[in-house]
Amino acid sequence: PSDHFYEMMLSLFFSGLLPGLLLVGSFFVSSVAAAPGVIEGRILNGTLPEQNAAVKEITLYRIKENQSPEKLDSQEPQEGRYRFQGLETDPQYRYRLTATYQGIPYFSDEILFGQGQAQVALRTSDLKVYEVTEDPQTIRVSRDHLILEINDREIVATEFLLLENSSNRTVWKKNLLRFSLPEGYRDFRGPGEPIRNAGGQGGEGFWLGEPVLPGNNNQILFTYRLDFSGTQQDLFKSIDYSTAQLDLMVADKGLEIQSPNLSFQGKVDMNGQGFLRWSASNLKPGASIRLSLSKSAMTRYLYPGGVVAIVLLLAGAGFAYTRVKARNTKRASLSSPSPPLEGR
């Protein structure tokens, strides 16, 4: 037979066989990708490791991209262990575990499965819970960022605190941790209940409505507004807990700014807007920070080194100003399914 005949036969062979091979291969790949996932682990008592935590139920949630969490399943741990099976391992899905212990909800880190695994995907995720204490002596503020945006007749304050709990117990009691707010504030939004004219407690503020877990990852964000005369005004900030570092950023709107308690650090740029940065370290409870604002033709302070990148300024605290306003009205993704905290 001629070469043309062999070429024709090979063409017919591959035209029929190759699509079949591709079909089998695609079925195999899809079967591998669809292998069911398993999440298992233990509930650990972070305060008393030798004792079991009496958790009656643990719940698994699934999160797809930016959608609301979807409750998948709940079960009663058996001797402190749990196992969820038959889970989708598609990388677009993320999973989190939650359980309540002594009235406090606890959450795991996000759990992800790999892509295209050849066998059942197994992920181990232990959930740690803690005993509760009403003693606030172990609470301090490791970082406090106060940002003031000034309009013609209004000051908009956004404050971000990183709380540290140096004990191995969760600190919680209703109306236990109090944070002060400036006199005359309004439109408070944050994780707490505003209080006014608290006798003997030195002014206005709010009670924190969230537990403070052991460690240095307790983030609090709140906002409020103040009237501004447009010419001259004094602001006072009370220090309620030992504060390792305070950063104050004031929008650079041509105001003259003075503070006997803070050191001027220069000008920074955040989200395309200029701010003047002031700071103080190792502040004691009961201290008061004074800030005087007065109208001026131009800003009094100029930073010789130019504009400092805000990422370098706040990265150490895990704080990004571009996320602040988005967090003003919504909590972490799993806050809503959690039961409300009850007073002790």
Side-chain angles (χ1 to χ4, degrees), residues 71-86:
K71 181 179 177 179
L72 289 185
D73 193 10
S74 295
Q75 62 181 241
E76 181 179 357
Q78 302 298 318
E79 297 182 349
R81 295 182 177 273
Y82 48 85
R83 181 180 176 91
F84 294 93
Q85 305 180 82

Side-chain angles (χ1 to χ4, degrees), residues 53-334:
V55 173
K56 297 181 179 180
E57 185 179 74
I58 184 167
T59 302
L60 179 68
Y61 286 90
R62 183 175 67 184
I63 310 166
K64 181 180 180 181
E65 298 176 344
N66 295 324
Q67 299 179 10
S68 298
E70 174 189 3
K71 181 179 177 179
L72 289 185
D73 193 10
S74 295
Q75 62 181 241
E76 181 179 357
Q78 302 298 318
E79 297 182 349
R81 295 182 177 273
Y82 48 85
R83 181 180 176 91
F84 294 93
Q85 305 180 82
L87 305 176
E88 295 188 57
T89 58
D90 192 304
Q92 67 177 324
Y93 293 116
R94 313 186 308 277
Y95 297 88
R96 293 191 77 175
L97 296 160
T98 178
T100 299
Y101 181 60
Q102 295 187 354
I104 308 297
Y106 294 91
F107 306 96
S108 71
D109 294 331
E110 287 191 350
I111 305 167
L112 296 171
F113 290 101
Q115 187 174 11
Q117 301 187 31
Q119 56 185 1
V120 174
L122 174 63
R123 290 291 179 264
T124 300
S125 178
D126 294 334
L127 182 62
K128 187 174 289 189
V129 300
Y130 301 90
E131 304 296 310
V132 176
T133 180
E134 298 176 2
D135 184 2
Q137 297 301 315
T138 60
I139 301 299
R140 74 163 194 152
V141 178
S142 57
R143 295 298 294 264
D144 185 346
H145 295 288
L146 174 58
I147 300 172
L148 302 181
E149 297 180 87
I150 303 175
N151 302 321
D152 291 338
R153 296 291 178 179
E154 184 179 64
I155 299 174
V156 180
T158 300
E159 192 157 1
F160 175 86
L161 285 79
L162 198 60
L163 296 185
E164 178 182 346
N165 176 4
S166 59
S167 76
N168 63 353
R169 295 175 180 265
T170 295
V171 176
W172 167 248
K173 181 185 178 182
K174 187 176 181 180
N175 296 351
L176 177 66
L177 298 178
R178 181 184 184 277
F179 291 86
S180 299
L181 294 172
E183 184 178 354
Y185 78 90
R186 55 183 172 83
D187 298 338
F188 169 80
R189 294 186 180 182
E193 179 182 350
I195 53 178
R196 292 181 179 273
N197 301 322
Q201 299 195 55
E204 303 173 326
F206 68 95
W207 297 112
L208 181 63
E210 296 182 350
V212 182
L213 275 59
N216 193 29
N217 195 33
N218 298 279
Q219 301 180 9
I220 299 176
L221 178 74
F222 56 92
T223 67
Y224 54 89
R225 297 173 185 267
L226 296 164
D227 293 330
F228 179 51
S229 65
T231 56
Q232 196 280 331
Q233 190 160 328
D234 289 342
L235 301 180
F236 295 89
K237 172 179 171 57
S238 298
I239 303 300
D240 301 293
Y241 303 93
S242 296
T243 300
Q245 178 72 26
L246 168 67
D247 283 309
L248 170 68
M249 263 73 73
V250 181
D252 188 5
K253 297 290 184 67
L255 296 174
E256 185 174 306
I257 303 170
Q258 296 181 351
S259 176
N261 315 103
L262 303 175
S263 299
F264 182 64
Q265 301 298 323
K267 185 176 179 180
V268 299
D269 180 74
M270 293 194 300
N271 206 28
Q273 182 177 354
F275 285 80
L276 304 177
R277 181 199 174 203
W278 304 73
S279 69
S281 301
N282 300 320
L283 299 171
K284 303 300 182 182
S288 180
I289 304 298
R290 177 182 176 182
L291 185 68
S292 297
L293 307 176
S294 59
K295 192 172 183 179
S296 176
M298 62 182 299
T299 302
R300 179 176 178 177
Y301 300 98
L302 295 176
Y303 185 59
V307 176
V308 181
I310 191 61
V311 174
L312 298 179
L313 174 64
L314 301 180
F319 175 75
Y321 182 68
T322 55
R323 295 197 299 260
V324 168
K325 293 185 178 180
R327 292 183 56 187
N328 285 347
T329 55
K330 69 178 183 179
R331 306 297 299 156
S333 61
L334 284 180

